[in-house]
Amino acid sequence: MDKGLTILAVDDDIINLKLIHSMLKKHTDIESVIEATNGLDALNIVKETENINLILLDIKMPVMDGIEFMENISLLPEKHNIPIIVLTTDETKKHQSFESGAFDFLVKPIREHELYEKILKIKNLL
């Protein structure tokens, strides 16, 4: 993969989104970060955007939560294989997240090096 990654970050907390965005923009192999504040907005972005390589997904959100988002994206044949890393404060959602299609799981507060290691693991698979 020559171009940098395009990452969709989904979180209803604007401060968390900005924090994730600033963490990711430090890395030259991340080309762009798209932001959404709930699962429904994220689903629409995924449908309309060609080149999303990875989704960072909060679980607890209004309108459509992260689990519902993963269930919905699994119904889109051309999009269901985008890797998803769940980022949440609720560790009890780990099993359900993996059952719903998550590739990886991180408990907030997010540490930049842990997040980046997981992103690199995915980038190496692309």
Side-chain angles (χ1 to χ4, degrees):
M1 163 164 259
D2 296 336
K3 283 182 21 194
L5 296 174
T6 297
I7 296 176
L8 173 59
V10 190
D11 197 316
D12 61 319
D13 185 323
I14 298 301
I15 294 165
N16 280 343
L17 271 181
K18 297 302 173 206
L19 180 66
I20 289 167
H21 199 122
S22 67
M23 282 181 191
L24 297 177
K25 290 309 270 182
K26 293 177 189 174
H27 300 280
T28 55
D29 48 359
I30 296 172
E31 186 174 309
S32 64
V33 180
I34 303 167
E35 298 177 2
T37 55
N38 65 62
L40 185 59
D41 287 348
L43 197 60
N44 288 328
I45 289 168
V46 167
K47 287 176 183 175
E48 296 165 10
T49 309
E50 280 299 308
N51 60 341
I52 294 173
N53 305 108
L54 170 65
I55 299 168
L56 303 176
L57 182 67
D58 187 23
I59 291 295
K60 294 182 176 178
M61 295 180 291
V63 186
M64 179 187 287
D65 70 21
I67 299 296
E68 290 175 280
F69 170 82
M70 287 188 284
E71 289 166 356
N72 276 281
I73 200 171
S74 71
L75 304 174
L76 303 173
E78 70 285 1
K79 304 290 184 175
H80 76 281
N81 59 348
I82 300 172
I84 298 171
I85 300 175
V86 169
L87 311 176
T88 186
T89 54
D90 188 353
E91 198 158 353
T92 66
K93 295 291 186 189
K94 188 171 190 172
H95 182 71
Q96 189 179 9
S97 295
F98 282 118
E99 280 189 339
S100 298
F103 180 86
D104 217 329
F105 188 93
L106 263 178
V107 177
K108 292 178 184 174
I110 302 304
R111 286 165 202 79
E112 184 176 344
H113 70 279
E114 289 178 357
L115 177 60
Y116 192 63
E117 281 175 15
K118 291 181 181 296
I119 290 171
L120 276 182
K121 190 164 51 172
I122 289 169
K123 185 173 191 242
N124 291 333
L125 294 174
L126 296 176

